[in-house]
């Protein structure tokens, strides 16, 4: 039985936008006419379309499953099982498989009825080669979109809670997961650095849930949201009559977290006077409420989060250096989404599923414009912005400027922009290859040290995340 299979040349593959693996058009061609079949195989191969050719529908059926990623082109008049019977069988397997029917003159009315029933197209003999190529190309694109949306829906509902509730498989996220598991039961204070919306509270929650403290309270405080006039009482507590308006005793949030975990978000916003008292608590693991002489012992783990670089000299005016060093026992840096674009599709699928359940709406089809926006937008609001975008997609209320913004994103970047992206990627690759070793990276790139550091700053590359070991040279 004649059968031919050939993979397309690399140039025929569609570009990978991060949401799919690239694949060229693929077709299963079924016709019992040997000469016609061989001619069409040659034509399709020359146009970069991979072909599985069969002389009968029965021979083709085993390869046509719900996961089939191509197009079926079949003659109608064949022995054993004709094209119409095959079409009905495929409707039972997956009604979204595109079927193109090859018809003789007397079969046109039948083919038209099949199109009403869901067939993709029909070609009347004799048909020009370019008509066949165009039909297969368009049908293959439709099939690709169907499979992508299907995978997206399945991913949205298949993501189950991990012991470390992080979604992402990039090396940076895997290192964070490994670190969390390693330090979860070690009673060390942790400093979490990351831009707004990267998931710093998720890190604190994960540490708490993985630790022996998970059965006690996780107490979260946003230091930037509390007025300076009440933050001290809120944190340390007070006795009745300690100050005007203190009518009854209050247990502070720090003491309430004893036995559990205290999460201090936006710690860079904490007033300097309160930083002094917090430092004393961290060093002694004891607390004295306002208006009391009683010293109370604490069993406490502190996770502090900041969007600033607390080790920078520029921040010394508002954040104490000794408090920074006390908190900086273990530091976890969460990279922004623009530095881990490979995780965006999985995160988007997760939040689509969450929004679908929350609003009791079906997940809609994902047009190419949304996929393009996902992979080209910089996401300054990071995961929080992505989650809100997924909610708008499910609700069908994308902001009016979004289509124009997406259209702008689809325009090809300029040559200088492409060169910038290329240079940044070369630097990241070199750092990764040499595990963050500066000397080896400089030798590999062949650039002076000062130029290298200038480029790190310009491209926003953090060398620390590439360090392969704690004793890597810090030059």
């Amino acid at each position: 039985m004649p059968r031919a299979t050939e993979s397309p040349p690399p140039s025929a593959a569609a570009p990978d936008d991060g949401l799919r693996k690239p694949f060229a058009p693929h077709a299963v061609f079924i016709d019992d006419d040997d000469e016609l079949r061989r001619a069409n195989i040659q034509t399709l191969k020359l146009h970069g379309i991979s072909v599985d050719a069969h002389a009968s529908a029965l021979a083709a059926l085993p390869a046509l499953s719900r996961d089939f990623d191509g197009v079926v082109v079949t003659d109608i008049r064949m022995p054993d099982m004709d094209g119409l019977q095959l079409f009905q069988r495929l409707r039972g397997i997956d009604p979204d498989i595109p079927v193109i029917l090859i018809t003789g003159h007397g079969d046109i009315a039948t083919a038209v009825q099949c199109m009403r029933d869901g067939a993709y197209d029909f070609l009347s003999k004799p048909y020009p080669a370019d008509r066949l190529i165009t039909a297969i190309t368009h049908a293959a694109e439709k099939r690709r979109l169907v499979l992508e949306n299907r995978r997206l829906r399945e991913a949205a509902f298949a993501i189950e809670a991990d012991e470390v509730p992080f979604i992402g498989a990039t090396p940076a996220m895997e290192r964070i997961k490994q670190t969390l598991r390693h330090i979860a039961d070690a009673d060390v204070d942790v400093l979490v650095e990351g831009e707004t919306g990267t998931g710093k509270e998720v890190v604190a929650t994960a540490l708490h849930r993985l630790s022996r403290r998970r059965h006690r309270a996780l107490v979260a405080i946003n230091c930037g949201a509390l007025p300076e006039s009440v933050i001290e009482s809120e944190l340390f507590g007070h006795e009745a009559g300690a100050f005007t308006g203190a009518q009854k005793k209050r247990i502070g949030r720090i003491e309430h977290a004893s036995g559990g975990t205290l999460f201090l978000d936006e710690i860079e916003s904490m007033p300097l006077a309160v930083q002094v008292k917090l430092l004393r608590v961290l060093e002694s693991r004891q607390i004295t409420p306002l208006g009391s002489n009683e010293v109370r012992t604490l069993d406490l783990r502190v996770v502090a989060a900041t969007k600033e670089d607390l080790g920078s000299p520029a921040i010394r005016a508002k954040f104490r250096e000794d408090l920074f060093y006390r908190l900086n026992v273990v530091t976890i840096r969460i990279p922004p989404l623009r530095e881990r674009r490979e995780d965006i599709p999985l995160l988007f699928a997760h939040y689509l599923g969450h929004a679908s359940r929350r609003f009791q709406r079906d997940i809609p089809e994902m047009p190419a414009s949304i996929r393009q926006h996902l992979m080209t937008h910089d996401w300054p609001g990071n995961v929080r912005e992505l989650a809100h975008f997924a909610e708008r997609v499910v609700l069908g209320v994308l902001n009016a400027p979004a289509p124009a913004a997406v259209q702008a994103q689809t325009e090809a970047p300029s040559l200088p922009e492409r060169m910038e992206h290329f240079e940044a990627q070369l630097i990241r690759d070199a750092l990764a290859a040499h595990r963050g070793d500066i000397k080896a990276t400089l030798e590999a790139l062949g650039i002076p040290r000062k130029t290298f550091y200038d480029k790190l700053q310009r491209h926003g590359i953090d060398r620390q995340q590439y360090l392969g070991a704690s004793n890597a040279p810090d030059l």
Side-chain angles (χ1 to χ4, degrees):
M1 175 173 51
R3 189 174 189 273
T5 303
E6 180 173 312
S7 297
S11 60
D16 184 5
D17 65 1
L19 281 174
R20 62 181 184 271
K21 294 181 179 179
F23 67 95
H26 172 61
V28 167
F29 190 91
I30 309 165
D31 199 307
D32 60 343
D33 185 328
D34 293 344
E35 185 176 345
L36 179 64
R37 190 174 60 254
R38 283 194 294 267
N40 279 284
I41 289 171
Q42 184 178 17
T43 298
L44 296 178
K45 287 180 179 180
L46 289 173
H47 286 80
I49 299 174
S50 65
V51 191
D52 288 339
H54 301 273
S56 73
L58 289 174
L61 265 176
L64 301 175
S65 67
R66 190 172 184 272
D67 296 326
F68 173 65
D69 63 355
V71 182
V72 175
V73 183
T74 179
D75 191 15
I76 287 183
R77 295 184 181 273
M78 293 184 297
D80 298 327
M81 177 185 286
D82 64 27
L84 301 180
Q85 292 172 316
L86 175 63
F87 171 63
Q88 293 303 325
R89 289 283 294 273
L90 293 178
R91 293 279 294 169
I93 294 172
D94 183 354
D96 291 322
I97 293 177
V99 178
I100 300 173
L101 299 168
I102 300 174
T103 71
H105 181 71
D107 298 320
I108 292 179
T110 302
V112 171
Q113 182 59 47
C114 287
M115 288 188 65
R116 291 172 181 163
D117 293 339
Y120 182 80
D121 202 351
F122 72 91
L123 304 177
S124 181
K125 296 179 182 178
Y127 50 84
D130 60 348
R131 176 79 171 83
L132 175 64
I133 298 299
T134 300
I136 290 177
T137 302
H138 290 169
E141 175 64 15
K142 178 184 177 182
R143 181 61 175 168
R144 180 182 63 77
L145 289 173
V146 166
L147 292 179
E148 280 181 10
N149 281 287
R150 187 177 292 170
R151 284 192 290 265
L152 191 61
R153 288 192 186 94
E154 290 171 353
F157 293 103
I159 297 173
E160 298 180 356
D162 192 311
E163 60 170 339
V164 181
F166 273 118
I167 299 171
T170 52
M173 298 309 291
E174 290 299 329
R175 283 194 294 270
I176 290 176
K177 292 179 183 180
Q178 184 178 8
T179 300
L180 292 180
R181 294 186 183 99
H182 187 67
I183 67 172
D185 269 332
D187 281 335
V188 293
D189 296 332
V190 179
L191 181 64
V192 184
E193 296 179 346
E195 295 179 6
T196 298
T198 50
K200 297 185 288 293
E201 188 166 357
V202 177
V203 169
T205 302
L207 274 173
H208 181 71
R209 290 179 179 174
L210 288 170
S211 73
R212 60 178 175 78
R213 300 174 177 273
R214 58 183 165 274
H215 301 299
R216 302 297 296 272
L218 168 63
V219 179
I221 301 173
N222 189 319
C223 301
L226 291 174
E228 189 169 348
S229 58
V230 303
I231 188 172
E232 190 171 346
S233 172
E234 189 75 17
L235 288 175
F236 302 99
H238 62 258
E239 296 294 322
F243 51 86
T244 302
Q247 298 179 358
K248 59 181 180 179
K249 177 180 177 180
R250 175 179 174 82
I251 300 296
R253 305 293 292 278
I254 294 177
E255 186 175 355
H256 181 60
S258 185
T261 304
L262 177 68
F263 175 53
L264 298 173
D265 198 9
E266 296 189 25
I267 195 169
E268 71 277 3
S269 303
M270 181 177 286
L272 282 169
V274 180
Q275 290 179 34
V276 176
K277 295 188 175 182
L278 177 63
L279 176 62
R280 189 178 304 120
V281 169
L282 295 181
E283 289 178 337
S284 66
R285 276 342 195 230
Q286 293 179 330
I287 193 169
T288 304
L290 298 175
S292 171
N293 293 321
E294 180 185 356
V295 178
R296 300 170 186 169
T297 300
L298 303 172
D299 173 20
L300 194 67
R301 160 181 257 172
V302 176
V303 180
T306 177
K307 59 181 179 291
E308 305 279 358
D309 178 8
L310 298 183
S312 169
I315 206 171
R316 286 290 171 261
K318 64 175 185 177
F319 199 84
R320 293 180 61 91
E321 186 174 12
D322 48 3
L323 179 57
F324 165 67
Y325 287 124
R326 183 63 187 78
L327 290 170
N328 195 31
V329 180
V330 175
T331 298
I332 296 175
R333 177 187 179 271
I334 308 177
L337 273 186
R338 63 180 176 274
E339 292 182 11
R340 55 183 187 110
R341 292 188 181 275
E342 298 91 337
D343 288 334
I344 291 176
L346 193 60
L347 281 162
F348 183 59
H350 169 73
Y351 287 114
L352 278 179
H354 185 272
S356 173
R357 292 186 293 272
R358 176 184 175 190
F359 301 121
Q360 298 183 344
R361 300 278 187 92
D362 291 335
I363 296 177
E365 298 291 321
M366 294 297 119
S369 57
I370 287 182
R371 298 196 309 274
Q372 183 74 13
H373 181 67
L374 285 174
M375 302 313 298
T376 56
H377 185 54
D378 276 344
W379 301 106
N382 293 292
V383 178
R384 184 179 294 124
E385 181 185 357
L386 181 66
H388 292 164
F389 179 73
E391 290 178 351
R392 293 197 300 274
V393 168
V394 169
L395 291 171
V397 291
L398 288 176
N399 294 337
V406 170
Q407 179 63 32
Q409 293 287 358
T410 62
E411 298 176 0
S414 64
L415 180 60
E417 289 173 334
R418 293 181 186 180
M419 295 298 291
E420 286 286 304
H421 289 313
F422 183 65
E423 181 181 75
Q425 190 57 51
L426 285 179
I427 294 173
R428 291 189 178 98
D429 290 345
L431 282 167
H434 298 288
R435 302 172 66 81
D437 186 291
I438 297 299
K439 183 177 180 181
T441 302
L442 289 175
E443 292 176 355
L445 295 173
I447 58 176
R449 185 184 301 271
K450 184 179 185 305
T451 302
F452 174 73
Y453 281 113
D454 288 344
K455 291 182 183 296
L456 288 185
Q457 184 175 8
R458 185 168 78 247
H459 296 304
I461 299 173
D462 181 10
R463 172 242 173 179
Q464 295 294 324
Q465 74 179 93
Y466 296 94
L467 292 178
S470 59
N471 60 353
D474 190 4
L475 303 179

